[in-house]
Amino acid sequence: MRVQVAIIGSGPAGLLLGQLLHLAGIDAVIVEQRSKEYVLGRIRAGVLEQCMVDMMERAQIAGRLRAEGLVHEGIEILFGGERHRIDLQGLSGKHVTVYGQTEVTRDLMDARAAAGAKSVYEADNVTVHGFDGKRPVVRYRKEGAAHEIECDFIAGCDGFHGVCRPSVPQSAITEHERVYAFGWLGVLADVPPVSEELIYVSHERGFALCSMRSRTRSRYYIQCELDDKVENWPDQLFWAELARRLDDRARSRLVTGPSLEKSIAPLRSYVAEPMRFGRLLLAGDAAHIVPPTGAKGLNLAASDVHYLSNALIEYYRSGKTSALDAYSGQCLRRVWQAVRFSWWMTNLLHLFPENGSFGRKIQCAEFDYLMNSRAAGTSLAENYVGLPY
Ligand code: FAD
Ligand code: DHB
């Protein structure tokens, strides 16, 4: 097969890039190691920045999002028993939209199928070659047969555990990393959310988050040990622990029910620099990971794709490489802002026993400042709704 762009990975980054390139008349194929159903079954992020919603409009896949997405103009923080609302709309002039990553993925997959664009699912042993020269090649096996794709560019949208980043010589990459000593245990359940807005909770027993997917489907998280197992958390125990971390108002409105999904996610900050190696361009989790506290992972994948799609479109329209040359620097600037914000939110709201009473006092002072300073609230709001592209 010969295409202009070979996209590795059918997560939000790969699918969004595929759709934008398709609309621009650029021939691309998506090569994914898992099945479509597996990709759709992964429960991940749920909060979209306005810029990401705008991108979905540009990608012509925002119909269901417009009808079903929940506009949120604020978030609540429950810290040491005290509630504080951050008026996102009032402080930043923007809101966020609650719409699951699964739904974004489904909308993009449906658009791709309707367009008849090429995708390969369940591709085994995907490897990337020759991106330091003019003729990159992607190889994979499917149903026992070997396949090869010749292309102009490879877009590495294959997530943190993908094949693209490890294919770059180690000496060409600089990595920056912080691994946190705890994880998030998440539960999805068909019960009405405890509140109209998200509640981020800092409690002496650990962090909790009350989120949602719709008015009838809730998503809850609690901070847990890194080596904890979902088997240790039957539904009843999860609901009891969540309830302990809430205030009376939220507890009285908490509706419990059987979990549809339960998983533990580790927390990590990670950035690989640069994001371009010749004709291999990384986007999304393939290049960077943030702890989920700031709801930035999915949104960062979208902003990378914004820059990458524009750069490829410019190249194919005019032959100019200036936007491709600027790609890594432009992305990384915004990536580091999101890394900083996610790190800050994580530090403010989680339990860090190793930081002792000094650490807790600093968290309390930070929250006190947030409650009483419009400037501090504005800073949180601006970052939460997403910095401009
Ligand atoms: P991915 O969604 O990871 O997609 C990469 C794709 O590449 C996958 O489909 C994978 O199967 C495929 N792939 C991997 N290796 C290969 C290979 N060798 N060959 C071919 N294909 C390959 N963010 C938030 O904002 N809030 C959250 O609550 C949140 N929860 C998360 C929970 C978990 C468990 C994880 C892992 C992430 C979570 N995130 C969250 C982050 C967010 O989901 C990601 O930032 C987002 O999925 C990034 O999209 P992506 O397309 O870059 O990568
Ligand atoms: C969700 C996840 C987050 O990490 C976050 O900050 C907000 C919401 C969610 O899954 O709904």
Side-chain angles (χ1 to χ4, degrees):
M1 193 192 297
R2 158 103 207 134
V3 294
Q4 291 172 304
V5 181
I7 300 170
I8 314 300
S10 168
L15 285 164
L16 195 52
L17 180 64
Q19 175 70 358
L20 293 170
L21 295 184
H22 167 73
L23 292 175
I26 296 169
D27 185 27
V29 63
I30 295 184
V31 181
E32 162 67 50
Q33 68 176 4
R34 303 285 191 170
S35 70
K36 243 181 173 180
E37 295 67 34
Y38 181 93
V39 174
L40 277 172
R42 288 188 301 221
I43 307 298
R44 290 184 172 178
V47 176
L48 311 190
E49 297 173 351
Q50 187 57 48
C51 282
M52 173 156 186
V53 171
D54 295 343
M55 272 194 80
M56 289 183 60
E57 292 282 359
R58 182 182 148 208
Q60 301 178 12
I61 52 138
R64 208 157 60 90
L65 165 68
R66 239 178 278 129
E68 297 174 19
L70 302 176
V71 169
H72 281 208
E73 297 192 343
I75 55 169
E76 293 213 88
I77 298 181
L78 171 58
F79 189 100
E82 214 169 339
R83 279 231 207 175
H84 179 61
R85 179 171 187 266
I86 303 288
D87 178 5
L88 299 174
Q89 187 71 42
L91 291 166
S92 73
K94 292 187 195 157
H95 57 255
V96 292
T97 303
V98 170
Y99 191 71
Q101 177 168 333
T102 316
E103 308 310 319
V104 174
T105 306
R106 189 186 303 282
D107 294 341
L108 283 161
M109 281 181 175
D110 288 351
R112 192 161 182 85
K118 293 185 276 273
S119 309
V120 180
Y121 283 90
E122 299 178 82
D124 293 326
N125 297 330
V126 178
T127 53
V128 294
H129 310 268
F131 48 83
D132 47 350
K134 283 219 153 96
R135 288 262 163 270
V137 169
V138 175
R139 297 199 182 102
Y140 64 93
R141 297 188 71 84
K142 174 136 177 142
E143 286 152 7
H147 298 265
E148 188 168 289
I149 303 170
E150 283 180 28
C151 55
D152 300 332
F153 296 99
I154 299 172
C157 302
D158 50 347
F160 186 65
H161 300 288
V163 68
C164 290
R165 194 183 67 251
S167 302
V168 175
Q170 195 61 34
S171 59
I173 293 194
T174 306
E175 296 177 295
H176 309 273
E177 185 169 45
R178 168 145 312 176
V179 178
Y180 297 86
F182 44 78
W184 279 17
L185 169 63
V187 157
L188 186 74
D190 272 335
V191 291
V194 78
S195 162
E196 287 72 44
E197 295 182 339
L198 270 61
I199 311 177
Y200 287 84
V201 185
S202 168
H203 188 273
E204 60 187 21
R205 297 180 64 84
F207 172 84
L209 170 59
C210 306
S211 182
M212 66 192 76
R213 290 292 176 271
S214 70
R215 292 201 171 80
T216 56
R217 182 168 284 189
S218 299
R219 179 69 165 161
Y220 292 108
Y221 298 94
I222 55 173
Q223 178 179 350
C224 65
E225 301 292 325
L226 199 50
D227 56 1
D228 216 336
K229 300 273 174 289
V230 287
E231 298 77 54
N232 298 336
W233 289 93
D235 289 356
Q236 262 182 330
L237 210 61
F238 177 86
W239 293 118
E241 182 58 34
L242 174 67
R244 291 177 83 164
R245 299 187 190 187
L246 303 180
D247 60 0
D248 286 343
R249 179 149 54 112
R251 221 177 349 256
S252 70
R253 290 184 57 178
L254 181 64
V255 183
T256 65
S259 60
L260 301 171
E261 191 262 4
K262 198 184 283 160
S263 53
I264 292 179
L267 269 70
R268 182 196 300 266
S269 302
Y270 172 90
V271 182
E273 296 184 326
M275 288 172 60
R276 176 188 175 188
F277 308 90
R279 287 173 174 264
L280 170 65
L281 301 113
L282 303 180
D285 279 16
H288 43 71
I289 294 280
V290 288
T293 328
K296 289 283 164 260
L298 172 61
N299 291 296
L300 269 189
S303 62
D304 289 353
V305 167
H306 164 82
Y307 296 122
L308 183 51
S309 59
N310 284 350
L312 289 168
I313 290 168
E314 182 184 287
Y315 174 81
Y316 283 111
R317 288 212 177 126
S318 67
K320 284 196 201 135
T321 61
S322 48
L324 283 168
D325 296 338
Y327 170 69
S328 179
Q330 239 172 356
C331 281
L332 284 168
R333 195 165 162 231
R334 195 171 188 279
V335 164
W336 275 109
Q337 291 297 328
V339 169
R340 184 208 68 81
F341 176 66
S342 305
W343 164 86
W344 178 81
M345 281 277 277
T346 303
N347 280 314
L348 173 66
L349 297 171
H350 288 76
L351 185 66
F352 291 87
E354 68 276 20
N355 291 349
S357 64
F358 180 83
R360 185 60 187 164
K361 285 287 184 185
I362 293 289
Q363 287 177 323
C364 293
E366 187 87 52
F367 180 69
D368 188 17
Y369 180 50
L370 194 59
M371 283 219 307
N372 293 294
S373 159
R374 190 177 167 88
T378 304
S379 169
L380 195 165
E382 275 180 1
N383 282 280
Y384 192 85
V385 300
L387 297 175
Y389 287 2

